[in-house]
Amino acid sequence: MRSVLLTTVAAAVLTTGIVAAPTITQADDPTTCVPAESEQHGIATFGYFSSQFETASTIHTIALERHLPERASLIAITASMADTGLLNQQPDDDADGVGIFGWTPSEAIGDAEQLSDPGYSAGRFFDRMVEVGGWQDMPPAQVARVVQGEAKGTVYAENQASARVLMTMLQGSIDCLPVVSPGEYTHPTPGVSAGGGFRTPDGPGHDGIDFSGYRGTPILAAGDGTVVTVLCNAHTADGAPYSCDVDGSPQVLGCGWYLEILHTDQTVTRYCHFESEPPVAVGERVSAGQEIGTMGSSGNSSGPHLHFETHMAYPAWPGTAVDPRDYLAKRGVRF
């Protein structure tokens, strides 16, 4: 039943480019999808607000109309997710740019009114994308970064996994993610002290806190929820893939082996730098205190530690990050 519901919603997206609010309600079945609500962005569908789903579906529809391969949609959705959170920024918004890619209006790319049209912006993105030499063989996040004119940074690589999940939803081939009843929260590495802080003056882009310990230290799920991401995220400065099965270094970029858990209140906890691939799978329910892997040093790391992030919405991106100390304190956990 859940697969049929999702397929129906996805089909409506691809046909019309508009997502009607799904009639999903809390039921006795604990795996029923429960939408979140937002006055600004509408009802959430499978963790995404309808406005975000509309953006992704528009991008995918334009790609199909142009007979571009699936990876083209993935590249563009990754870019939009990283730069605007899949939201269509308007000229009068307090934002750095306009449209679903956050561009600055210009004669070369379009005026503010044109860029406010998601279909137009998606088309212009693909115009620029196909001019990137070798884009078909480059990592999607690297292509997104080049098209967006960013010389460096990991934000695109960090959003590629979430974009891939959303692509799967659009294609109607993933079940509605199960929801777990609320439970208690816990420290992700009991007995291990917190080190690097959240967005300190020395690390304004550090969106979490670090717990440094011994290799193999158990990492626990901070709360009940559903695993939504398990991925190796490691690459060199020029975008070349880097193995997560060996120790990384400060010169390697990315979270290494990492996973994300979607909790019942639609918040997300992210765990980075596992020693090896976490022994849990996407879609699997986990409980607070359950071991989800062990501490390692994969990715951008100078030694074994857990980089722990907390986000107030799914998909997780820098704009949704909050201080983990405050997040857990409000849930009864202090350290």
Side-chain angles (χ1 to χ4, degrees):
M1 179 64 181
R2 297 194 303 277
S3 294
V4 173
L5 174 61
L6 178 55
T7 302
T8 301
V9 173
V13 170
L14 293 178
T15 302
T16 67
I18 299 174
V19 179
T23 55
I24 304 173
T25 57
Q26 181 67 59
D28 294 334
D29 179 2
T31 62
T32 299
C33 282
V34 182
E37 295 185 12
S38 164
E39 290 184 3
Q40 182 178 4
H41 303 304
I43 296 180
T45 307
F46 315 112
Y48 293 89
F49 289 114
S50 58
S51 55
Q52 295 172 306
F53 219 94
E54 287 176 30
T55 296
S57 67
T58 297
I59 290 171
H60 191 47
T61 299
I62 298 300
L64 292 175
E65 290 176 352
R66 294 190 174 206
H67 304 289
L68 291 168
E70 180 181 308
R71 66 182 284 108
S73 294
L74 176 61
I75 291 166
I77 291 173
T78 297
S80 179
M81 186 175 286
D83 286 318
T84 69
L86 290 172
L87 300 178
N88 188 20
Q89 298 176 167
Q90 299 301 304
D92 55 351
D93 290 344
D94 184 17
D96 293 334
V98 178
I100 59 176
F101 297 106
W103 288 336
T104 300
S106 69
E107 184 175 343
I109 199 168
D111 58 32
E113 183 177 356
Q114 289 174 313
L115 295 181
S116 296
D117 177 355
Y120 174 87
S121 288
R124 294 296 289 124
F125 183 94
F126 291 132
D127 289 341
R128 301 173 73 175
M129 181 195 71
V130 297
E131 294 177 355
V132 177
W135 70 269
Q136 299 94 329
D137 302 314
M138 294 165 59
Q142 183 180 356
V143 181
R145 179 164 57 85
V146 173
V147 173
Q148 292 294 82
E150 297 292 338
K152 58 183 180 179
T154 63
V155 64
Y156 300 103
E158 291 168 355
N159 280 276
Q160 182 177 310
S162 295
R164 193 179 297 278
V165 171
L166 184 50
M167 278 288 298
T168 307
M169 292 178 180
L170 286 172
Q171 294 163 342
S173 58
I174 187 172
D175 276 354
C176 172
L177 296 175
V179 175
V180 183
S181 298
E184 296 181 351
Y185 282 74
T186 188
H187 193 301
T189 54
V192 179
S193 299
F198 178 80
R199 295 179 179 172
T200 63
D202 293 334
H206 193 245
D207 294 332
I209 57 177
D210 295 336
F211 298 92
S212 298
Y214 294 103
R215 187 183 305 277
T217 298
I219 296 173
L220 311 181
D224 297 346
T226 301
V227 177
V228 291
T229 303
V230 176
L231 189 73
C232 169
N233 173 230
H235 54 94
T236 61
D238 61 2
Y242 191 93
S243 175
C244 288
D245 294 322
V246 298
D247 283 352
S249 74
Q251 287 70 48
V252 176
L253 303 178
C255 255
W257 279 118
Y258 83 102
L259 68 78
E260 294 176 330
I261 298 173
L262 175 64
H263 302 284
T264 54
D265 58 0
Q266 297 297 306
T267 63
V268 175
T269 50
R270 176 184 287 173
Y271 312 74
C272 298
H273 309 301
F274 285 89
E275 181 178 23
S276 57
E277 183 174 1
V280 291
V282 171
E284 182 175 339
R285 301 184 196 182
V286 293
S287 302
Q290 177 180 332
E291 183 173 331
I292 54 175
T294 55
M295 190 178 294
S297 189
S298 56
N300 179 242
S301 174
S302 57
H305 74 288
L306 165 67
H307 173 80
F308 178 65
E309 296 182 12
T310 51
H311 294 260
M312 296 310 293
Y314 179 77
W317 65 296
T320 61
V322 295
D323 191 330
R325 293 178 185 272
D326 296 336
Y327 175 95
L328 287 179
K330 292 177 181 178
R331 290 159 175 78
V333 180
R334 297 184 182 278
F335 50 87

